[in-house]
Amino acid sequence: MTGPALQELATWVAATEGAAGDAAVDSALACYALDWAGALIAGTAHDLYPRYLAAFAALAAPGAPGCAGGCAVAGDARGWSPVEAAAANAAISHFWEFDDSHRAAMMHPGITVWPAVVALAQARPGVTVADMRAAVLAGYEAGLRMGAHLGKAHAATNHVTATAGTFGAAAAAARLLRLDAAATLSALGHAGTQAAGLWQFLEDGAMEAKAVHPAIAVRNGVTAALLAEAGIPGAARVLEGGRGMLAAWKIAPEPSASLVPEGAPMILTATIKGWPVCGQMHSLLDATQDLMRKAGLRVEEIASVTAEGPQALLDVAGLRRPTNAGDAKFSTAFCVALMLSGGDLSFTGFDGSAVRDEAVQALADRIEVLAPPEFSARYPKERPARITATTRDGQVLTEERSFRRGDPEAPWEWEPLVERFHGIAGLAMRDAAARRAVVEWCRGFGAGDETLDRAAAPFFRVDPVLERAA
């Protein structure tokens, strides 16, 4: 009998180091730290923040004798237990849809990795920046490989951030706790038996529940590692066994997506978003923006519009009539119509107010969104998209994309990313000096600076929210 499908991944997770001195990895660690920090800080200014904070506070009873672990939740003055702090921060950093993503894995990896690493680093003495770097690399590697391995059939009904994200959090936590290969395999086994998260909230109009998914992934993943640390064995064949994940979900894995770490680290293949909406439509928005710039197109000149992408675009971002900002982030027709109308789709300007603009809604109603089979076949390794606008005088204008801005093929440079961070984080952290401290922490993390505060305190100093919640 061959070894467990997750054995080599567990062995790699247990042995990986922080890759100090690798310029590509150093840059990626700094960039993805900054991406998550911006999403976390901005999340404290979201309308969902007080409700989610209250729910997790009720679960964790922060400040109670058993929970005074000194772990921070963004914008809150109390000490939390590491598990609930990590879960709460994961949810908070997903409210605005600002966080990173991945084409092949079809998930948001960072929000299932960084909260686990930071919380455990705060809770455990002796953790070094090198430990944290290794844990982040392990989390991205495990989560992204698992997401890509489970493939499109799984992603059609399951939110991969919740399912594969549990493995990312478990691997990150296992590496930070310095578990050996056998215990790490147990942690992955515990992760697999807890992995869950369904897309049904889209069908039922419960968009505000989406942030629950990274939260439960992180909560369950950290718990999985703690169970393994305590010597409780997990199912070694939780993925491929007769009553394992693949059998339960009745799917075959993606054959080309290997679970064995090889080549460049998976963190180098992730995407930092260029738009504050569902990643399924980013290629289309990039193409629409360029079409307008090249053609000098004005909305009053448009007779008809066709937007094309993979079937996943319709499945996840196919909402036709949004009523609020949360819905609008999953409405391809609306976002394309807003852009064609000259509306604001920036990270700081997209506030949902345009859903009340009947002219934008009327244009959205006229936009045909299609999923050509050839585009669906190229997904998820590519994110093909095509926008076609026919003008009232008969011109046919078209623009096409295979990848998104922020994909590995078109990565962010550091300075534009810093500017992006200041705009996003400025929603809640109004002190520019405080934001610069976060930038410098992230830069230092990428460089492996062991003098950094392992508790990543700059992430949590969101003074306006801190005063409200204290």
Side-chain angles (χ1 to χ4, degrees):
M1 179 182 291
T2 59
L6 295 172
Q7 181 66 69
E8 291 185 73
L9 180 59
T11 299
W12 184 92
V13 166
T16 193
E17 298 296 337
D22 183 317
V25 171
D26 289 350
S27 175
L29 286 168
C31 289
Y32 287 102
L34 192 63
D35 177 70
W36 176 66
L40 176 72
I41 293 165
T44 64
H46 197 281
D47 289 345
L48 289 174
Y49 175 81
R51 284 185 275 169
Y52 269 79
L53 189 70
F56 282 104
L59 290 171
C67 293
C71 296
V73 169
D76 191 74
R78 299 165 290 188
W80 292 59
S81 67
V83 173
E84 296 304 336
N89 285 325
I92 293 165
S93 49
H94 196 47
F95 289 156
W96 289 108
E97 294 284 336
F98 290 170
D99 45 304
D100 64 13
S101 60
H102 192 270
R103 284 202 309 266
M106 298 163 283
M107 66 177 291
H108 301 271
I111 52 173
T112 67
V113 172
W114 292 99
V117 171
V118 170
L120 285 175
Q122 292 173 332
R124 296 295 180 103
V127 171
T128 66
V129 169
D131 290 329
M132 294 176 70
R133 285 167 53 97
V136 170
L137 291 175
Y140 273 79
E141 196 78 19
L144 293 176
R145 287 192 176 277
M146 180 59 73
H149 188 71
L150 293 174
K152 289 192 287 188
H154 174 70
T157 54
N158 291 267
H159 188 189
V160 186
T161 301
T163 54
T166 307
F167 286 86
R175 176 59 186 84
L176 197 80
L177 296 173
R178 303 188 183 96
L179 302 187
D180 63 19
T184 300
L185 182 60
S186 282
L188 297 181
H190 292 308
T193 206
Q194 299 178 88
L198 299 170
W199 280 120
Q200 186 57 37
F201 68 83
L202 288 174
E203 302 284 338
D204 294 342
M207 293 301 305
E208 292 174 326
K210 189 169 187 275
V212 172
H213 283 178
I216 61 173
V218 171
R219 181 197 67 197
N220 293 346
V222 174
T223 299
L226 294 174
L227 290 169
E229 183 186 41
I232 301 170
R237 300 180 187 273
V238 73
L239 175 64
E240 78 280 17
R243 288 185 276 189
M245 295 162 61
L246 298 177
W249 286 326
K250 297 179 172 57
I251 58 170
E254 171 56 50
S256 64
S258 174
L259 289 170
V260 179
E262 54 191 356
M266 290 296 287
I267 195 171
L268 301 181
T269 67
T271 293
I272 293 179
K273 283 187 166 188
W275 305 100
V277 298
C278 176
Q280 300 292 352
M281 67 176 90
H282 284 205
S283 297
L284 188 61
L285 295 177
D286 291 341
T288 302
Q289 183 181 61
D290 282 353
L291 182 144
M292 293 178 66
R293 287 174 174 171
K294 290 177 182 178
L297 188 64
R298 300 193 307 272
V299 66
E300 60 269 20
E301 299 173 324
I302 298 172
S304 64
V305 178
T306 301
E308 299 170 276
Q311 182 60 41
L313 179 71
L314 290 171
D315 292 343
V316 181
L319 186 68
R320 293 298 308 195
R321 268 271 171 174
T323 59
N324 54 52
D327 288 350
K329 290 173 182 283
F330 292 85
S331 176
T332 297
F334 175 82
C335 288
V336 171
L338 182 61
M339 180 172 285
L340 290 171
S341 301
D344 194 343
L345 261 173
S346 69
F347 284 95
T348 55
F350 187 56
D351 60 4
S353 60
V355 299
R356 297 185 292 275
D357 188 327
E358 283 303 318
V360 175
Q361 292 278 21
L363 177 58
D365 290 342
R366 290 163 36 216
I367 294 175
E368 187 176 24
V369 184
L370 303 175
E374 62 270 25
F375 280 14
S376 297
R378 289 161 58 188
Y379 177 89
K381 292 185 178 180
E382 295 181 21
R383 290 297 168 91
R386 181 166 53 229
I387 183 79
T388 303
T390 302
T391 65
R392 297 189 185 281
D393 63 3
Q395 293 185 72
V396 178
L397 308 170
T398 188
E399 193 76 23
E400 189 166 339
R401 291 287 179 277
S402 295
F403 303 107
R404 304 169 291 190
R405 178 177 55 160
D407 276 346
E409 293 80 4
W412 288 82
E413 297 291 335
W414 178 251
E415 290 306 322
L417 192 63
V418 169
E419 182 180 355
R420 173 185 182 272
F421 166 79
H422 278 291
I424 291 170
L427 293 171
M429 187 178 277
R430 297 162 195 167
D431 183 349
R435 297 197 302 272
R436 287 194 294 271
V438 177
V439 172
E440 290 310 308
W441 192 97
C442 294
R443 191 199 303 269
F445 186 84
D449 182 356
E450 285 293 349
T451 68
L452 295 177
D453 175 7
R454 74 172 190 272
F459 294 165
F460 304 105
R461 294 172 185 159
V462 188
D463 293 337
V465 182
L466 183 66
E467 291 167 4
R468 183 189 71 203

